[in-house]
Amino acid sequence: AQSVTQLGSHVSVSEGALVLLRCNYSSSVPPYLFWYVQYPNQGLQLLLKYTTGATLVKGINGFEAEFKKSETSFHLTKPSAHMSDAAEYFCAVRYSSASKIIFGSGTRLSIRP
Amino acid sequence: EPEVTQTPSHQVTQMGQEVILRCVPISNHLYFYWYRQILGQKVEFLVSFYNNEISEKSEIFDDQFSVERPDGSNFTLKIRSTKLEDSAMYFCASKSGKETQYFGPGTRLLVL
């Protein structure tokens, strides 16, 4: 079955530290890959996406993610965390242009002052 | 920038009552979706809609659920007889062709 695994339901980093949120997908066919962010009591906002081409994609708010086919991974990183980055982050996949999005279980990012 | 809108933002209803959640997708989009997120859990796909018919639905989307595009702008999700476990945040999404799905802000449904 197609699935998305996010390692760590909760990640806490210090302000200014590196942010690394892990995501792995299960598929023999590379999917479209997404990271969404959800701030408290708000909807889902697209951070970045990978469809084809360059495997390192840059998104909003200084986030980036690298698609590694050999590792079936799409980890999200940010060099320096900011207090405003505290939110829930969802990795997601889609296997065709019209199909549903399959979400991971989410990782809650906390930022320590 | 165009965006998906949803009304109401919050809905409280009694168990067994019917609710209709409304969405206005982005105007030139052709594919429409409903997802839900039970509190503290991940976002789950409910149904996709294209060319005036359901193209895919999950096992969650049983006979109590229905979707409709009554006019050229609205996309609705109806729950005929709500259950306690229907309490969740419901997200509408839309897209055009191969583009990314854009999500609305959600409707928080509470069934008492």
Side-chain angles (χ1 to χ4, degrees):
Chain A
Q2 301 160 347
S3 66
V4 180
T5 302
Q6 290 184 241
L7 292 176
S9 58
H10 183 208
V11 170
S12 179
V13 303
S14 298
E15 190 174 18
L18 171 72
V19 175
L20 170 61
L21 305 183
R22 299 179 186 274
C23 174
N24 290 87
Y25 63 92
S26 63
S27 173
S28 58
V29 177
Y32 301 105
L33 295 155
F34 308 86
W35 276 98
Y36 285 86
V37 60
Q38 185 180 33
Y39 297 101
N41 299 314
Q42 294 189 27
L44 297 164
Q45 181 180 6
L46 181 67
L47 266 183
L48 49 78
K49 64 180 179 181
Y50 169 79
T51 53
T52 59
T55 55
L56 181 64
V57 292
K58 296 185 185 298
I60 61 172
N61 302 338
F63 284 92
E64 60 184 37
E66 185 172 11
F67 168 55
K68 291 187 177 180
K69 183 178 178 181
S70 60
E71 299 177 8
T72 60
S73 68
F74 191 57
H75 302 329
L76 180 72
T77 60
K78 181 173 180 177
S80 177
H82 191 272
M83 296 300 292
S84 61
D85 294 327
E88 187 90 17
Y89 291 80
F90 292 95
C91 182
V93 303
R94 197 181 81 212
Y95 287 94
S96 70
S97 62
S99 73
K100 64 190 178 191
I101 289 179
I102 301 170
F103 286 87
S105 55
T107 297
R108 183 163 60 90
L109 177 64
S110 300
I111 311 297
R112 301 188 300 271
Chain B
E1 184 176 331
E3 56 185 22
V4 177
T5 59
Q6 290 184 242
T7 54
S9 58
H10 294 78
Q11 173 102 38
V12 181
T13 189
Q14 295 291 322
M15 189 171 56
Q17 294 296 304
E18 175 184 285
V19 294
I20 298 176
L21 309 183
R22 291 182 167 78
C23 170
V24 179
I26 295 173
S27 63
N28 64 341
H29 284 188
L30 302 174
Y31 298 84
F32 313 109
Y33 306 82
W34 282 102
Y35 295 81
R36 79 171 186 191
Q37 183 183 31
I38 294 173
L39 186 64
Q41 299 186 23
K42 66 180 179 181
V43 179
E44 302 172 289
F45 167 77
L46 290 178
V47 65
S48 59
F49 192 87
Y50 171 72
N51 199 26
N52 287 318
E53 62 182 23
I54 291 173
S55 47
E56 185 179 3
K57 61 182 181 180
S58 73
E59 58 190 24
I60 302 169
F61 193 87
D62 61 23
D63 292 343
Q64 291 299 311
F65 290 88
S66 63
V67 290
E68 193 177 30
R69 189 157 161 80
D71 51 42
S73 60
N74 290 285
F75 179 53
T76 61
L77 174 69
K78 181 192 290 186
I79 309 175
R80 290 190 183 82
S81 178
T82 50
K83 302 186 287 288
L84 295 177
E85 53 264 38
D86 293 328
S87 295
M89 180 76 93
Y90 288 81
F91 293 106
C92 173
S94 71
K95 77 179 190 74
S96 174
K98 295 184 178 181
E99 290 299 315
T100 306
Q101 291 180 28
Y102 291 87
F103 284 79
T107 293
R108 186 174 296 280
L109 176 65
L110 178 60
V111 182
L112 302 176

